[in-house]
Amino acid sequence: MLNKLAFLGPRGTFSEEAARSIPIGTPMDYVPYPSIIEVLNAVAKDEVNYGIVPIENSIEGTVNSTLDWLIHEVDLPILAELALPITQNLLVAKRDQPLPLSAITRVMSHPQAIAQSFHFIRENLPQAVVENVNSTALAAQTVSEHPDEPWAAIGTRLNADIYPLEVAQPHIQDFSNNYTRFVLVGKEPIELPVSDREKTTIQVILPEDFPGALYQVLAAFAWRKINLSRLESRPTKKGLGSYFFVIDIEQKMDDVLLPGAFAEIEAIGCQVRQLGTYPFYLQKVNS
């Protein structure tokens, strides 16, 4: 029986593209779920073996629902990360005559895709109602099911192969260097090729009565010459002004440096939780 890998569906999302692009060494059965939270819950409840979810976009930043659910609701280690180039396209139903941009009355997509195409929408579709939906593929599916409506979706070109759609305008994202980081999560290890980049992600909760604790945390890595690629604060949900930090470390878990840093951080009263140590893969734009 094939292992099952969940992704944000329906078919034709960037999440599906990421699921099929990450270099897993064993065959997979790809299973779509209607939301990021349901993808993560499916893995936690053993409905599927693994899940892949977006965690950060180079333009719009963190996908908060992913990070918060991984922190607060499920205990799933990060097994791998893939940075996928994102190209947004304006999609319309196939028709005998081209649909002018000025005739489009509604444009729909995932909030991240809409945000990534904000300037294009403002300049070229000022008359259109903008509607957020759960995924780019759901937007494409909805437009394809209403071919007589002057509607458009924003999403991957893959949707034009799945649904009776055509690309009205390609490359509508506001910035060309548009990447989304996806993380693979699961309870069991999985066969993955060696990468020249390894990362470790941790959650740090600071003590409430220790002034300068964040400085001490960063110093524990700095004097060991350990590079941090990302530092982000998120609310603990315990009260206003209470935060934890998520830190990406540019190396895999070892026997000396990282354990020593973690011990030093814990000695000042911080709580440290390891979210994963894993390989990082970068997909090229022209691949």
Side-chain angles (χ1 to χ4, degrees):
M1 179 181 294
L2 291 178
N3 284 329
K4 293 181 178 180
L5 173 57
F7 65 89
L8 174 62
R11 283 207 57 210
T13 59
F14 289 106
S15 292
E16 181 182 10
E17 187 176 341
R20 296 181 181 276
S21 299
I22 198 162
I24 298 172
T26 56
M28 285 286 162
D29 181 16
Y30 300 96
V31 184
Y33 279 80
S35 72
I36 289 171
I37 289 172
E38 289 178 74
V39 169
L40 295 173
N41 282 345
V43 184
K45 295 176 181 178
D46 297 318
E47 295 175 11
V48 296
N49 306 92
Y50 305 98
I52 192 163
V53 287
I55 197 167
E56 185 185 25
N57 177 260
S58 59
I59 297 174
E60 286 304 305
T62 299
V63 181
N64 291 329
S65 58
T66 296
L67 188 57
D68 286 352
W69 212 256
L70 285 174
I71 293 291
H72 296 293
E73 303 295 338
V74 295
D75 185 14
L76 298 172
I78 300 172
L79 304 176
E81 179 182 313
L82 172 70
L84 184 75
I86 302 297
T87 301
Q88 303 289 0
N89 303 275
L90 189 71
L91 307 166
V92 298
K94 289 183 177 179
R95 39 178 53 90
D96 293 335
Q97 297 294 327
L99 180 65
L101 297 187
S102 60
I104 295 173
T105 61
R106 176 171 296 182
V107 58
M108 60 187 71
S109 194
H110 186 275
Q112 287 271 337
I114 289 172
Q116 292 165 25
S117 311
F118 172 78
H119 292 296
F120 176 87
I121 295 171
R122 185 181 63 178
E123 294 171 8
N124 297 278
L125 303 166
Q127 77 288 348
V129 174
V130 177
E131 181 178 343
N132 293 329
V133 297
N134 278 345
S135 71
T136 55
L138 178 60
Q141 181 180 358
T142 302
V143 170
S144 72
E145 291 173 349
H146 298 81
D148 295 329
E149 299 286 354
W151 295 353
I154 297 174
T156 173
R157 186 181 288 270
L158 177 64
N159 286 301
D161 298 328
I162 298 173
Y163 306 105
L165 299 172
E166 59 187 6
V167 177
Q169 189 78 33
H171 305 290
I172 67 169
Q173 69 275 7
D174 295 331
F175 301 93
S176 58
N177 190 27
N178 186 11
Y179 278 81
T180 294
R181 295 170 55 221
F182 291 85
V183 290
L184 178 73
V185 298
K187 296 180 180 179
E188 300 295 330
I190 191 170
E191 182 182 345
L192 293 163
V194 175
S195 172
D196 59 357
R197 289 184 63 185
E198 297 276 348
K199 297 174 69 174
T200 300
T201 298
I202 61 172
Q203 175 196 11
V204 177
I205 301 176
L206 304 182
E208 296 181 2
D209 56 350
F210 193 106
L214 180 57
Y215 173 83
Q216 296 279 18
V217 168
L218 299 179
F221 295 107
W223 77 261
R224 290 177 173 86
K225 301 188 186 308
I226 298 172
N227 188 45
L228 308 181
S229 60
R230 182 165 169 260
L231 171 67
E232 179 170 351
S233 64
R234 294 290 300 156
T236 63
K237 304 187 185 296
K238 294 179 179 179
L240 191 64
S242 177
Y243 297 92
F244 64 84
F245 292 86
V246 176
I247 301 174
D248 284 351
I249 304 164
E250 286 288 315
Q251 73 173 62
K252 65 180 179 180
M253 192 67 185
D254 62 353
D255 295 328
V256 179
L257 282 179
L258 290 189
F262 296 168
E264 183 176 330
I265 293 168
E266 290 170 339
I268 63 172
C270 294
Q271 300 175 46
V272 179
R273 174 188 172 193
Q274 186 176 321
L275 300 179
T277 184
Y278 50 90
F280 169 84
Y281 305 100
L282 174 65
Q283 181 165 312
K284 303 296 185 182
V285 174
N286 60 351
S287 60

